[in-house]
Amino acid sequence: MKNAIEEVLPGTHHRLCAWHLLRNATTNMCSPRFTSKFKDCMLGDYEISVFRNKWQTLVEKFGVEEKEWLNKIYEKYRSWATCYIRGKFFAGFRTTSHCEGLHSLIGKYTKPHYDLSEFIEHFQRMLGHMQFRKFYAEYESARGVPVMQTCIEPLEMCAADTYTREVFFLFRPILIRSGAMRVVDYQTRDNSVIYYVCRYAKLANVWEVEWVDNGNAITCSCMRMESFGISCEHIISVLA
Ligand SMILES: [Zn+2]
């Protein structure tokens, strides 16, 4: 599949299914505690240096340096470790079961013995059900105003107005974390400005937020915006 994807869909990133990886980890390593730590390394939203330290600690703690399955899977870290996949947009998909959920829904409405006209009729029923769920989500988004929880209420209110309610609840923790970020330096270039952002002004981790005048675009070196489709706390701290 990996080879086919590279050929047919050039420029895309092949990602391994997190559910299958965890199942294989459980089968091959036979330790629920190992699987739990492995899951943390795989799905944790860490910087690359933190991921490497965690992996080293995991391998040493469980004494699994010689495990063939583990060494083989580590070679493919660019296909499963969240910190190496960052910058690629997957619309929240981490497992094949996300797609299988849609298959299962179609399966509830259609049966193998249906002829074409019956299939279309029942497929339309399924589309109606999905449209109802969309309308209901829109209704929930428009109903009332969530209680503001941050001290930057105008920005929080603007986000509550702009985003759907579900995305707003994903965004609010980021807005809260942006309060811990400080712009410690900046550098002006030809048509852009680079802001250097640290948490509590500690220089251990520095993120670079670049604002490009031409096109009014803003990007961050953490690439969480490209990964999840929502601004990171570093960009918010520059804009706020
Ligand atoms: Zn960032």
Side-chain angles (χ1 to χ4, degrees), residues 114-183:
Y114 285 174
D115 62 24
L116 192 57
S117 62
E118 283 174 323
F119 171 79
I120 290 172
E121 183 190 335
H122 291 281
F123 189 75
Q124 290 289 359
R125 278 178 56 225
M126 188 208 73
L127 289 182
H129 169 77
M130 290 178 77
Q131 277 162 354
F132 170 76
R133 281 174 33 180
K134 178 173 171 282
F135 290 137
Y136 186 73
E138 281 172 355
Y139 165 72
E140 284 291 306
S141 288
R143 189 166 63 98
V145 180
V147 176
M148 298 293 108
Q149 291 185 355
T150 72
C151 54
I152 26 182
E153 203 176 311
L155 199 54
E156 191 182 350
M157 186 64 88
C158 176
D161 271 350
T162 309
Y163 288 137
T164 61
R165 199 55 47 85
E166 206 160 320
V167 174
F168 171 71
F169 287 135
L170 292 175
F171 174 75
R172 185 153 63 187
I174 296 169
L175 187 60
I176 291 169
R177 288 203 298 276
S178 75
M181 296 294 158
R182 301 284 178 274
V183 176

Side-chain angles (χ1 to χ4, degrees), residues 49-145:
S49 58
V50 176
F51 165 77
R52 284 187 174 158
N53 282 338
K54 280 185 170 281
W55 187 263
Q56 191 71 31
T57 309
L58 173 75
V59 171
E60 284 169 9
K61 185 178 173 188
F62 287 86
V64 287
E65 293 89 342
E66 304 299 324
K67 273 276 185 184
E68 195 186 343
W69 176 83
L70 193 65
N71 290 330
K72 274 191 172 170
I73 211 70
Y74 185 70
E75 284 172 16
K76 299 176 189 165
Y77 60 83
R78 289 186 189 280
S79 299
W80 55 263
T82 296
C83 61
Y84 283 97
I85 290 174
R86 197 166 289 141
K88 318 283 188 307
F89 184 67
F90 289 91
F93 278 69
R94 293 195 306 207
T95 64
T96 49
S97 60
H98 261 97
C99 312
E100 282 156 14
L102 183 60
H103 296 169
S104 150
L105 185 64
I106 295 173
K108 279 180 191 161
Y109 282 86
T110 57
K111 294 286 173 278
H113 62 266
Y114 285 174
D115 62 24
L116 192 57
S117 62
E118 283 174 323
F119 171 79
I120 290 172
E121 183 190 335
H122 291 281
F123 189 75
Q124 290 289 359
R125 278 178 56 225
M126 188 208 73
L127 289 182
H129 169 77
M130 290 178 77
Q131 277 162 354
F132 170 76
R133 281 174 33 180
K134 178 173 171 282
F135 290 137
Y136 186 73
E138 281 172 355
Y139 165 72
E140 284 291 306
S141 288
R143 189 166 63 98
V145 180

Side-chain angles (χ1 to χ4, degrees), residues 207 220 222 232 234-235:
W207 293 273
C220 177
C222 80
C232 61
H234 320 114
I235 288 178

Side-chain angles (χ1 to χ4, degrees), residues 189-202:
R189 294 189 180 166
D190 285 348
N191 64 343
S192 70
V193 185
I194 296 184
Y195 297 90
Y196 298 92
V197 178
C198 298
R199 179 179 280 128
Y200 300 120
K202 288 181 186 167

